[in-house]
Every structure is written in C-alpha cells, then in structure tokens.
Coordinates of all heavy atoms in Angstrom, one line a residue:
M449 N -7.0 -7.3 -7.4 CA -6.1 -7.0 -8.5 C -4.7 -7.0 -8.1 O -4.3 -6.5 -7.0 CB -6.5 -5.6 -9.0 CG -5.6 -5.1 -10.1 SD -5.9 -3.5 -10.7 CE -7.5 -3.7 -11.4
I450 N -3.9 -7.7 -8.9 CA -2.4 -7.7 -8.6 C -1.8 -6.7 -9.5 O -2.3 -6.2 -10.4 CB -1.9 -9.2 -8.8 CG1 -2.1 -9.7 -10.1 CG2 -2.5 -10.1 -7.7 CD1 -1.5 -11.0 -10.4
K451 N -0.4 -6.5 -9.2 CA 0.3 -5.5 -9.9 C 0.3 -5.7 -11.4 O 0.2 -4.8 -12.1 CB 1.8 -5.5 -9.3 CG 2.5 -4.3 -9.9 CD 3.9 -4.2 -9.1 CE 5.1 -4.5 -10.0 NZ 6.3 -4.3 -9.3
S452 N 0.4 -6.9 -11.9 CA 0.5 -7.2 -13.3 C -0.9 -6.8 -13.9 O -0.9 -6.4 -15.1 CB 0.9 -8.6 -13.6 OG 0.0 -9.5 -13.0
E453 N -2.0 -7.1 -13.3 CA -3.3 -6.7 -13.8 C -3.4 -5.2 -13.9 O -4.0 -4.7 -14.8 CB -4.4 -7.3 -12.9 CG -4.4 -8.9 -13.0 CD -5.4 -9.4 -12.0 OE1 -5.8 -8.8 -11.0 OE2 -5.8 -10.6 -12.1
L454 N -2.9 -4.6 -12.9 CA -2.9 -3.0 -12.9 C -2.2 -2.5 -14.1 O -2.7 -1.6 -14.8 CB -2.4 -2.5 -11.6 CG -2.2 -1.0 -11.5 CD1 -3.6 -0.3 -11.6 CD2 -1.5 -0.6 -10.3
V455 N -1.0 -3.1 -14.3 CA -0.2 -2.6 -15.5 C -0.9 -2.9 -16.8 O -0.9 -2.0 -17.7 CB 1.2 -3.4 -15.4 CG1 2.0 -3.1 -16.7 CG2 2.0 -2.9 -14.3
Q456 N -1.6 -4.1 -16.9 CA -2.3 -4.4 -18.1 C -3.5 -3.5 -18.3 O -3.6 -3.0 -19.4 CB -2.8 -5.9 -18.0 CG -3.5 -6.4 -19.2 CD -2.6 -6.5 -20.4 OE1 -1.4 -6.8 -20.3 NE2 -3.1 -6.1 -21.6
R457 N -4.2 -3.1 -17.3 CA -5.3 -2.2 -17.5 C -4.9 -0.8 -17.9 O -5.4 -0.2 -18.7 CB -6.1 -2.1 -16.2 CG -7.0 -3.3 -16.0 CD -8.1 -3.1 -15.0 NE -8.8 -4.3 -14.8 CZ -9.7 -4.4 -13.9 NH1 -10.1 -3.4 -13.2 NH2 -10.3 -5.6 -13.7
I458 N -3.8 -0.3 -17.3 CA -3.2 1.0 -17.7 C -2.8 0.9 -19.2 O -2.9 1.9 -19.9 CB -2.1 1.4 -16.7 CG1 -2.6 1.7 -15.3 CG2 -1.4 2.6 -17.2 CD1 -1.6 1.8 -14.2
A459 N -2.1 -0.2 -19.6 CA -1.6 -0.3 -20.9 C -2.8 -0.3 -21.9 O -2.7 0.2 -23.0 CB -0.8 -1.6 -21.0
E460 N -3.9 -0.9 -21.6 CA -5.1 -1.0 -22.4 C -5.6 0.4 -22.6 O -6.1 0.8 -23.7 CB -6.2 -1.9 -21.8 CG -5.8 -3.4 -21.9 CD -6.7 -4.3 -21.1 OE1 -7.7 -3.7 -20.5 OE2 -6.5 -5.4 -21.1
R461 N -5.6 1.3 -21.6 CA -6.1 2.6 -21.7 C -5.2 3.6 -22.4 O -5.6 4.7 -22.8 CB -6.5 3.2 -20.3 CG -7.7 2.4 -19.7 CD -8.1 3.1 -18.4 NE -9.2 2.4 -17.8 CZ -9.8 2.8 -16.7 NH1 -9.3 3.9 -16.1 NH2 -10.8 2.2 -16.2
N462 N -3.9 3.3 -22.4 CA -2.9 4.1 -22.9 C -2.0 3.4 -24.0 O -0.9 3.0 -23.7 CB -1.9 4.6 -21.8 CG -2.7 5.5 -20.8 OD1 -3.0 6.6 -21.0 ND2 -3.1 4.8 -19.7
T463 N -2.6 3.2 -25.1 CA -2.0 2.4 -26.2 C -0.7 3.0 -26.7 O 0.1 2.3 -27.3 CB -3.0 2.1 -27.3 OG1 -3.5 3.3 -27.8 CG2 -4.2 1.3 -26.8
H464 N -0.6 4.3 -26.5 CA 0.7 5.0 -26.9 C 1.9 4.7 -26.1 O 3.0 5.1 -26.5 CB 0.4 6.5 -27.1 CG 0.1 7.1 -25.8 ND1 -1.1 7.0 -25.2 CD2 0.9 7.9 -25.0 CE1 -1.2 7.6 -24.1 NE2 0.1 8.2 -23.9
L465 N 1.7 4.1 -24.9 CA 2.8 3.8 -24.0 C 3.1 2.3 -24.1 O 2.3 1.5 -24.3 CB 2.4 4.1 -22.6 CG 2.2 5.6 -22.3 CD1 1.7 5.7 -20.9 CD2 3.5 6.4 -22.5
Y466 N 4.5 2.0 -24.0 CA 4.8 0.5 -24.0 C 4.6 0.0 -22.6 O 4.7 0.7 -21.6 CB 6.4 0.5 -24.2 CG 6.8 0.9 -25.6 CD1 7.6 2.0 -25.7 CD2 6.4 0.1 -26.7 CE1 8.0 2.3 -27.0 CE2 6.9 0.4 -27.9 CZ 7.6 1.6 -28.1 OH 8.0 1.9 -29.4
Q467 N 4.2 -1.3 -22.6 CA 3.8 -2.0 -21.3 C 5.0 -2.0 -20.4 O 4.9 -1.8 -19.1 CB 3.3 -3.4 -21.6 CG 2.8 -4.0 -20.3 CD 2.0 -5.3 -20.6 OE1 1.6 -5.5 -21.7 NE2 1.9 -6.1 -19.6
R468 N 6.2 -2.1 -20.8 CA 7.4 -2.2 -20.0 C 7.6 -0.9 -19.3 O 8.1 -0.8 -18.1 CB 8.7 -2.7 -20.7 CG 9.2 -1.7 -21.7 CD 10.5 -2.2 -22.4 NE 11.0 -1.2 -23.3 CZ 10.6 -1.2 -24.6 NH1 9.8 -2.2 -25.1 NH2 11.1 -0.3 -25.5
D469 N 7.3 0.3 -20.0 CA 7.4 1.6 -19.4 C 6.4 1.8 -18.3 O 6.7 2.3 -17.2 CB 7.3 2.7 -20.4 CG 8.5 2.7 -21.4 OD1 9.5 2.1 -21.1 OD2 8.2 3.2 -22.6
I470 N 5.2 1.3 -18.5 CA 4.2 1.4 -17.5 C 4.5 0.6 -16.3 O 4.4 1.0 -15.2 CB 2.8 0.9 -18.1 CG1 2.4 1.9 -19.2 CG2 1.7 0.8 -17.1 CD1 1.2 1.3 -20.0
E471 N 5.1 -0.6 -16.5 CA 5.5 -1.4 -15.4 C 6.6 -0.8 -14.5 O 6.6 -0.8 -13.4 CB 6.0 -2.8 -15.9 CG 6.3 -3.8 -14.8 CD 6.6 -5.2 -15.4 OE1 6.3 -5.5 -16.6 OE2 7.1 -6.0 -14.6
N472 N 7.5 -0.1 -15.3 CA 8.6 0.6 -14.6 C 8.0 1.8 -13.7 O 8.5 2.0 -12.7 CB 9.7 1.2 -15.6 CG 10.5 0.0 -16.2 OD1 10.6 -1.0 -15.6 ND2 11.1 0.3 -17.3
I473 N 7.0 2.5 -14.3 CA 6.4 3.5 -13.6 C 5.7 3.1 -12.3 O 5.8 3.7 -11.2 CB 5.4 4.3 -14.5 CG1 6.2 5.0 -15.6 CG2 4.6 5.3 -13.8 CD1 5.4 5.6 -16.7
V474 N 4.9 2.0 -12.5 CA 4.1 1.5 -11.3 C 5.1 1.0 -10.3 O 4.9 1.3 -9.1 CB 3.2 0.4 -11.7 CG1 2.5 -0.4 -10.7 CG2 2.1 0.9 -12.7
T475 N 6.1 0.3 -10.6 CA 7.2 -0.1 -9.7 C 7.8 1.0 -9.0 O 8.0 1.0 -7.8 CB 8.2 -1.0 -10.4 OG1 7.5 -2.2 -11.0 CG2 9.2 -1.5 -9.5
A476 N 8.2 2.0 -9.7 CA 8.8 3.1 -9.1 C 7.9 3.9 -8.1 O 8.3 4.3 -7.0 CB 9.2 4.2 -10.2
I477 N 6.6 4.0 -8.4 CA 5.7 4.6 -7.5 C 5.6 3.8 -6.2 O 5.7 4.3 -5.1 CB 4.3 4.8 -8.2 CG1 4.3 5.9 -9.3 CG2 3.2 5.2 -7.1 CD1 3.1 5.9 -10.1
L478 N 5.4 2.5 -6.3 CA 5.3 1.6 -5.2 C 6.5 1.6 -4.4 O 6.5 1.6 -3.1 CB 4.9 0.2 -5.6 CG 3.5 0.1 -6.3 CD1 3.3 -1.3 -6.7 CD2 2.4 0.6 -5.3
D479 N 7.7 1.7 -5.0 CA 8.9 1.7 -4.3 C 9.1 3.0 -3.5 O 9.6 3.0 -2.4 CB 10.2 1.6 -5.3 CG 10.3 0.2 -5.8 OD1 9.7 -0.8 -5.2 OD2 11.1 0.0 -6.8
E480 N 8.7 4.1 -4.1 CA 8.7 5.4 -3.4 C 7.8 5.4 -2.1 O 8.2 5.9 -1.1 CB 8.5 6.5 -4.3 CG 9.6 6.9 -5.2 CD 10.9 7.2 -4.5 OE1 10.9 7.9 -3.5 OE2 11.9 6.6 -5.0
V481 N 6.7 4.8 -2.3 CA 5.7 4.7 -1.1 C 6.4 3.9 0.0 O 6.4 4.3 1.2 CB 4.4 4.1 -1.6 CG1 3.5 3.8 -0.3 CG2 3.6 5.0 -2.5
V482 N 7.0 2.8 -0.4 CA 7.6 1.9 0.7 C 8.9 2.6 1.3 O 8.9 2.6 2.5 CB 8.1 0.6 0.0 CG1 9.0 -0.2 0.9 CG2 6.9 -0.2 -0.4
K483 N 9.6 3.4 0.5 CA 10.7 4.1 1.1 C 10.2 5.2 2.0 O 10.9 5.5 3.0 CB 11.6 4.7 -0.1 CG 12.4 3.7 -0.8 CD 13.2 4.4 -2.0 CE 13.8 3.4 -2.9 NZ 14.5 4.1 -4.0
A484 N 9.2 5.9 1.6 CA 8.7 7.0 2.5 C 8.2 6.4 3.8 O 8.4 7.0 4.9 CB 7.6 7.7 1.8
L485 N 7.5 5.3 3.8 CA 7.0 4.7 5.0 C 8.2 4.2 5.8 O 8.2 4.3 7.1 CB 6.0 3.5 4.7 CG 4.8 3.9 4.1 CD1 3.9 2.6 3.6 CD2 3.9 4.8 5.0
A486 N 9.2 3.6 5.2 CA 10.4 3.2 6.0 C 11.1 4.4 6.7 O 11.6 4.2 7.8 CB 11.3 2.5 5.0
R487 N 11.0 5.5 6.1 CA 11.6 6.8 6.7 C 10.7 7.3 7.8 O 11.1 8.2 8.6 CB 11.8 7.9 5.7 CG 13.0 7.6 4.7 CD 13.3 8.9 3.9 NE 12.1 9.4 3.3 CZ 11.7 9.2 2.0 NH1 12.4 8.4 1.3 NH2 10.6 9.8 1.5
G488 N 9.5 6.9 7.9 CA 8.5 7.4 8.8 C 7.6 8.5 8.3 O 6.9 9.1 9.0
D489 N 7.7 8.7 7.0 CA 6.8 9.7 6.3 C 5.4 9.2 6.1 O 5.2 8.0 6.0 CB 7.5 10.2 5.0 CG 8.8 10.8 5.2 OD1 9.1 11.3 6.3 OD2 9.5 10.9 4.2
R490 N 4.5 10.1 5.9 CA 3.2 9.8 5.5 C 3.0 10.0 4.1 O 3.5 11.1 3.5 CB 2.2 10.7 6.3 CG 0.8 10.5 6.2 CD 0.0 11.3 7.1 NE -1.4 11.1 7.0 CZ -2.3 11.8 6.3 NH1 -1.9 12.9 5.7 NH2 -3.6 11.5 6.4
V491 N 2.3 9.2 3.3 CA 2.1 9.3 1.9 C 0.6 9.5 1.7 O -0.2 8.7 2.0 CB 2.5 8.0 1.1 CG1 2.3 8.2 -0.3 CG2 4.1 7.8 1.4
E492 N 0.3 10.7 1.1 CA -1.2 11.0 0.9 C -1.4 11.2 -0.6 O -0.8 12.0 -1.3 CB -1.5 12.3 1.6 CG -3.0 12.7 1.5 CD -3.3 13.9 2.3 OE1 -2.6 14.2 3.4 OE2 -4.3 14.6 1.9
L493 N -2.5 10.5 -1.0 CA -2.9 10.6 -2.4 C -4.3 11.1 -2.4 O -5.2 10.4 -2.0 CB -2.8 9.2 -3.1 CG -1.5 8.4 -3.1 CD1 -1.6 7.1 -3.6 CD2 -0.5 9.2 -3.9
R494 N -4.3 12.4 -2.7 CA -5.7 13.2 -2.6 C -6.8 12.4 -3.3 O -6.7 11.9 -4.4 CB -5.6 14.5 -3.1 CG -4.7 15.4 -2.4 CD -5.4 16.0 -1.3 NE -4.4 16.8 -0.5 CZ -4.8 17.5 0.6 NH1 -6.0 17.4 1.1 NH2 -3.9 18.2 1.3
G495 N -7.9 12.2 -2.5 CA -9.1 11.5 -3.1 C -9.0 10.0 -3.0 O -10.0 9.3 -3.2
F496 N -7.8 9.5 -2.7 CA -7.6 8.0 -2.7 C -7.5 7.6 -1.2 O -8.2 6.8 -0.7 CB -6.5 7.6 -3.5 CG -6.3 6.1 -3.5 CD1 -7.1 5.3 -4.2 CD2 -5.2 5.6 -2.8 CE1 -7.0 3.9 -4.2 CE2 -5.0 4.2 -2.8 CZ -5.9 3.3 -3.5
G497 N -6.5 8.1 -0.6 CA -6.2 7.8 0.9 C -4.8 8.1 1.3 O -4.0 8.7 0.5
A498 N -4.5 7.8 2.5 CA -3.1 8.1 3.1 C -2.6 6.8 3.7 O -3.3 6.1 4.4 CB -3.3 9.2 4.1
F499 N -1.3 6.6 3.3 CA -0.5 5.5 3.9 C 0.3 6.1 5.0 O 0.9 7.2 4.9 CB 0.4 4.9 2.9 CG -0.3 4.2 1.8 CD1 -0.5 4.9 0.6 CD2 -0.7 2.9 1.9 CE1 -1.2 4.3 -0.5 CE2 -1.3 2.3 0.8 CZ -1.5 3.0 -0.4
S500 N 0.4 5.4 6.2 CA 1.3 5.8 7.3 C 1.7 4.5 8.0 O 1.3 3.4 7.5 CB 0.6 6.7 8.2 OG -0.6 6.1 8.8
R501 N 2.5 4.7 9.0 CA 3.0 3.5 9.7 C 2.6 3.7 11.2 O 2.6 4.8 11.7 CB 4.5 3.2 9.5 CG 5.4 4.2 10.2 CD 6.8 3.8 9.9 NE 7.7 4.5 10.8 CZ 9.0 4.3 10.9 NH1 9.5 3.4 10.1 NH2 9.7 4.9 11.8
K502 N 2.4 2.6 11.9 CA 2.0 2.6 13.3 C 3.0 1.8 14.0 O 3.3 0.7 13.6 CB 0.6 2.2 13.4 CG 0.1 2.3 14.8 CD -1.4 1.9 14.8 CE -2.0 2.1 16.2 NZ -3.4 1.9 16.3
A503 N 3.4 2.3 15.2 CA 4.3 1.5 16.0 C 3.6 0.5 16.9 O 2.6 0.8 17.5 CB 5.2 2.4 16.9
R504 N 4.0 -0.8 16.9 CA 3.5 -1.8 17.8 C 4.6 -2.0 18.8 O 5.7 -2.3 18.5 CB 3.3 -3.1 17.0 CG 2.3 -3.0 16.0 CD 0.8 -3.2 16.5 NE 0.0 -3.3 15.3 CZ -1.3 -2.9 15.4 NH1 -1.7 -2.3 16.5 NH2 -2.1 -3.0 14.4
S505 N 4.2 -1.7 20.1 CA 5.3 -1.8 21.1 C 5.6 -3.3 21.4 O 4.9 -4.3 21.1 CB 4.7 -1.2 22.5 OG 3.5 -1.8 22.8
A506 N 6.8 -3.5 22.1 CA 7.3 -4.8 22.4 C 6.3 -5.4 23.4 O 5.7 -4.7 24.2 CB 8.7 -4.7 22.9
R507 N 6.1 -6.7 23.3 CA 5.2 -7.4 24.3 C 5.6 -8.8 24.5 O 6.5 -9.4 23.8 CB 3.8 -7.3 23.8 CG 3.6 -8.0 22.4 CD 2.1 -7.8 21.9 NE 2.0 -8.4 20.6 CZ 1.8 -9.7 20.4 NH1 1.7 -10.6 21.4 NH2 1.7 -10.1 19.2
V508 N 5.0 -9.5 25.4 CA 5.2 -10.9 25.6 C 4.0 -11.6 25.0 O 2.8 -11.4 25.4 CB 5.3 -11.2 27.1 CG1 5.4 -12.8 27.3 CG2 6.4 -10.5 27.8
G509 N 4.3 -12.5 24.0 CA 3.2 -13.2 23.4 C 3.3 -14.7 23.8 O 4.1 -15.1 24.6
R510 N 2.5 -15.5 23.2 CA 2.4 -16.9 23.5 C 2.6 -17.7 22.2 O 2.0 -17.4 21.2 CB 1.1 -17.3 24.1 CG 0.7 -16.6 25.4 CD 1.2 -17.5 26.5 NE 1.1 -16.8 27.7 CZ 2.0 -17.0 28.8 NH1 2.9 -17.9 28.7 NH2 1.8 -16.4 29.9
N511 N 3.4 -18.7 22.3 CA 3.5 -19.7 21.3 C 2.3 -20.5 21.3 O 1.9 -21.2 22.2 CB 4.7 -20.6 21.5 CG 4.9 -21.6 20.4 OD1 4.0 -22.1 19.7 ND2 6.2 -22.0 20.2
P512 N 1.4 -20.5 20.1 CA 0.2 -21.2 20.2 C 0.3 -22.7 20.3 O -0.7 -23.3 20.8 CB -0.5 -20.8 18.8 CG 0.6 -20.3 18.0 CD 1.7 -19.8 18.9
R513 N 1.4 -23.2 19.8 CA 1.5 -24.7 19.9 C 1.9 -25.2 21.3 O 1.3 -26.2 21.8 CB 2.7 -25.1 18.9 CG 2.8 -26.7 18.8 CD 3.7 -27.1 17.7 NE 3.0 -26.8 16.4 CZ 3.5 -27.0 15.3 NH1 4.7 -27.5 15.2 NH2 2.8 -26.8 14.2
T514 N 2.9 -24.5 22.0 CA 3.3 -25.0 23.3 C 2.8 -24.1 24.4 O 2.9 -24.6 25.6 CB 4.9 -24.8 23.4 OG1 5.3 -23.5 23.2 CG2 5.5 -25.7 22.2
G515 N 2.4 -22.9 24.2 CA 1.8 -22.1 25.3 C 2.9 -21.4 26.0 O 2.7 -20.6 26.9
D516 N 4.3 -21.5 25.6 CA 5.3 -20.8 26.2 C 5.3 -19.3 25.9 O 4.9 -18.9 24.8 CB 6.6 -21.4 25.7 CG 6.9 -22.8 26.0 OD1 6.3 -23.3 27.0 OD2 7.7 -23.5 25.4
A517 N 5.8 -18.5 26.8 CA 5.9 -17.1 26.6 C 7.0 -16.8 25.6 O 8.1 -17.4 25.7 CB 6.1 -16.5 27.9
V518 N 6.8 -15.9 24.7 CA 7.7 -15.5 23.7 C 7.8 -14.0 23.7 O 6.8 -13.3 23.7 CB 7.3 -16.0 22.3 CG1 8.3 -15.6 21.2 CG2 7.1 -17.5 22.3
E519 N 9.1 -13.4 23.6 CA 9.3 -12.0 23.6 C 9.0 -11.5 22.1 O 9.6 -12.1 21.2 CB 10.6 -11.6 23.9 CG 11.0 -11.8 25.5 CD 10.1 -10.8 26.4 OE1 10.0 -9.6 25.9 OE2 9.8 -11.2 27.4
V520 N 8.1 -10.6 21.9 CA 7.9 -10.1 20.6 C 8.4 -8.6 20.5 O 8.1 -7.8 21.4 CB 6.3 -10.0 20.3 CG1 6.1 -9.4 18.9 CG2 5.7 -11.4 20.4
E521 N 9.3 -8.4 19.6 CA 10.0 -7.1 19.5 C 9.1 -6.0 19.0 O 8.1 -6.3 18.4 CB 11.2 -7.2 18.6 CG 12.3 -8.1 19.0 CD 13.4 -8.2 18.0 OE1 13.4 -7.6 16.9 OE2 14.4 -9.0 18.3
E522 N 9.5 -4.8 19.3 CA 8.8 -3.6 18.7 C 8.8 -3.7 17.2 O 9.9 -4.0 16.6 CB 9.3 -2.3 19.2 CG 8.6 -1.1 18.7 CD 9.3 0.2 19.1 OE1 10.5 0.2 19.2 OE2 8.6 1.2 19.4
K523 N 7.7 -3.3 16.6 CA 7.8 -3.3 15.1 C 6.8 -2.2 14.6 O 6.0 -1.7 15.3 CB 7.4 -4.7 14.5 CG 6.0 -5.1 14.9 CD 5.8 -6.5 14.5 CE 4.5 -7.1 15.1 NZ 4.3 -8.4 14.6
F524 N 6.9 -1.9 13.3 CA 6.0 -1.0 12.6 C 5.1 -1.7 11.6 O 5.6 -2.7 11.0 CB 6.8 0.1 11.9 CG 7.6 0.9 12.8 CD1 8.9 0.7 13.0 CD2 7.0 2.0 13.4 CE1 9.6 1.5 13.9 CE2 7.7 2.8 14.3 CZ 9.1 2.6 14.5
V525 N 3.9 -1.3 11.5 CA 3.0 -1.9 10.6 C 2.4 -0.9 9.7 O 2.2 0.3 10.2 CB 1.9 -2.7 11.3 CG1 2.3 -3.9 12.0 CG2 1.1 -1.8 12.3
P526 N 2.1 -1.1 8.4 CA 1.5 -0.1 7.6 C 0.1 0.0 7.9 O -0.6 -0.9 8.2 CB 1.7 -0.7 6.2 CG 1.9 -2.1 6.3 CD 2.4 -2.3 7.7
V527 N -0.4 1.3 7.7 CA -1.8 1.7 7.9 C -2.3 2.5 6.7 O -1.6 3.3 6.2 CB -2.0 2.5 9.2 CG1 -3.4 2.9 9.4 CG2 -1.4 1.8 10.4
F528 N -3.5 2.1 6.3 CA -4.1 2.9 5.2 C -5.5 3.4 5.6 O -6.3 2.7 6.2 CB -4.3 2.0 4.0 CG -5.0 2.7 2.8 CD1 -4.2 3.5 2.0 CD2 -6.3 2.4 2.5 CE1 -4.9 4.2 1.0 CE2 -6.9 3.0 1.5 CZ -6.2 4.0 0.7
K529 N -5.6 4.7 5.4 CA -6.9 5.3 5.7 C -7.5 5.9 4.4 O -6.8 6.7 3.6 CB -6.7 6.5 6.7 CG -8.1 7.2 7.1 CD -7.9 8.2 8.0 CE -9.3 8.8 8.3 NZ -9.2 10.1 9.1
T530 N -8.7 5.5 4.0 CA -9.2 5.9 2.7 C -9.7 7.3 2.7 O -10.0 8.0 3.8 CB -10.6 5.0 2.5 OG1 -11.5 5.3 3.5 CG2 -10.3 3.6 2.4
G531 N -9.6 7.9 1.6 CA -9.9 9.3 1.4 C -11.4 9.4 1.3 O -12.2 8.5 0.9
K532 N -11.9 10.7 1.4 CA -13.3 10.9 1.4 C -13.9 10.6 0.0 O -15.0 9.9 -0.1 CB -13.6 12.4 1.7 CG -15.1 12.7 1.7 CD -15.3 14.2 2.0 CE -16.8 14.5 2.0 NZ -17.0 16.0 2.3
E533 N -13.3 10.9 -1.0 CA -13.8 10.7 -2.4 C -13.9 9.2 -2.7 O -14.8 8.7 -3.3 CB -12.9 11.4 -3.5 CG -13.4 11.2 -4.8 CD -12.4 12.0 -5.9 OE1 -11.8 13.0 -5.5 OE2 -12.4 11.4 -7.0
L534 N -12.9 8.4 -2.3 CA -12.9 7.0 -2.4 C -14.1 6.4 -1.7 O -14.8 5.5 -2.3 CB -11.6 6.3 -2.0 CG -11.5 4.8 -2.1 CD1 -11.7 4.4 -3.5 CD2 -10.2 4.3 -1.5
R535 N -14.3 6.8 -0.4 CA -15.4 6.3 0.3 C -16.7 6.6 -0.3 O -17.6 5.7 -0.4 CB -15.4 6.8 1.7 CG -14.4 6.1 2.7 CD -14.7 6.6 4.1 NE -14.7 8.0 4.4 CZ -13.6 8.7 4.6 NH1 -12.4 8.2 4.6 NH2 -13.7 10.0 4.8
L536 N -16.9 7.8 -0.8 CA -18.1 8.1 -1.6 C -18.3 7.3 -2.9 O -19.5 6.9 -3.0 CB -18.1 9.6 -1.8 CG -18.2 10.6 -0.7 CD1 -18.1 12.0 -1.1 CD2 -19.5 10.4 0.1
R537 N -17.3 7.1 -3.6 CA -17.4 6.3 -4.8 C -17.7 4.9 -4.5 O -18.5 4.2 -5.2 CB -16.1 6.5 -5.6 CG -16.0 7.9 -6.2 CD -14.8 8.0 -7.1 NE -14.9 7.2 -8.3 CZ -14.0 7.2 -9.3 NH1 -12.8 7.9 -9.1 NH2 -14.1 6.5 -10.3
L538 N -17.1 4.3 -3.5 CA -17.4 2.9 -3.1 C -18.8 2.8 -2.7 O -19.4 1.6 -2.9 CB -16.5 2.4 -2.0 CG -15.0 2.2 -2.4 CD1 -14.2 1.9 -1.1 CD2 -15.0 1.1 -3.3
N539 N -19.4 3.8 -2.1 CA -20.8 3.7 -1.6 C -21.8 4.2 -2.6 O -23.0 4.4 -2.2 CB -20.9 4.4 -0.2 CG -20.2 3.8 0.8 OD1 -20.4 2.5 1.0 ND2 -19.2 4.4 1.6
G540 N -21.3 4.6 -3.8 CA -22.2 4.9 -4.9 C -22.9 6.3 -4.7 O -23.9 6.6 -5.2
K541 N -22.2 7.2 -4.0 CA -22.8 8.5 -3.7 C -22.0 9.6 -4.5 O -22.3 10.8 -4.3 CB -22.7 8.8 -2.2 CG -23.5 7.9 -1.4 CD -23.4 8.1 0.0 CE -24.3 7.2 0.8 NZ -24.2 7.3 2.2
A542 N -21.1 9.3 -5.4 CA -20.4 10.3 -6.2 C -20.7 10.2 -7.6 O -21.0 9.2 -8.2 CB -18.9 10.2 -5.9

C-alpha cells in the first residue's frame, strides 16, 4: 500500500472528511515521525510498533565493479519493531 492508497481508504471510511484534509493529516504524521527519528527519538505507536534508528559505524567497503576499497561513512538507518498486538493479528490469534 502506498500513501495515496492509505489516504483513499481513510476517506472511504470517513465520508464526512475532505480527502485533502486526510492527506494533510497523513503527511503531518509521517513528517513528525521522520523529524523525531532525525533527532534520535524513538516513536512508539501502541499495538502497532516502534520506530527507532540504529547507528552503522564507518567501515571499509568494496566497489563491486572494480574491487577497490571504499571508505563508507558512519550513518543511521531506520528500524521498525512490530508491537505484540500487530504480531498477533498477523498470525490470526487476535
């Protein structure tokens, strides 16, 4: 599912709301999650899961085409851990 499909499904369930308002709300939520992760904060949505970031240390990598050594800088990657309720629902136990 992509963002526009999510907005469309929410609009179908909430006919009293304008689609552009729903799109603004979804965008605002996603922007806040990104900003929180950029600050190093953890974002937890009870029953759904938690977003956090993990540091990847600097290392020496290889260029796959030439085999030359390449310095790879330290970076952060997003991590998502599912919540208990979501895991149970995916496995048909809730």
Side-chain angles (χ1 to χ4, degrees):
M449 175 182 295
I450 59 175
K451 187 169 119 177
S452 61
E453 291 172 341
L454 176 63
V455 169
Q456 184 64 39
R457 286 197 184 177
I458 294 171
E460 289 170 1
R461 290 185 179 182
N462 298 281
T463 55
H464 62 283
L465 296 173
Y466 292 113
Q467 186 166 341
R468 69 176 180 271
D469 293 338
I470 295 169
E471 188 171 346
N472 290 338
I473 291 168
V474 170
T475 300
I477 291 170
L478 295 176
D479 287 345
E480 286 303 315
V481 170
V482 171
K483 287 177 188 176
L485 291 174
R487 287 190 308 265
D489 296 340
R490 183 173 184 262
V491 178
E492 183 176 337
L493 304 172
R494 293 278 176 180
F496 182 73
F499 295 93
S500 59
R501 70 180 198 173
K502 185 175 185 178
R504 299 273 189 213
S505 58
R507 62 183 175 83
V508 177
R510 295 270 172 210
N511 180 332
R513 184 171 292 180
T514 63
D516 294 340
V518 178
E519 292 291 326
V520 179
E521 297 179 0
E522 179 184 38
K523 60 185 172 183
F524 294 98
V525 293
V527 178
F528 178 74
K529 182 177 179 192
T530 58
K532 182 179 178 182
E533 185 179 328
L534 177 60
R535 277 194 307 275
L536 291 174
R537 289 179 71 179
L538 286 175
N539 293 307
K541 297 179 181 174

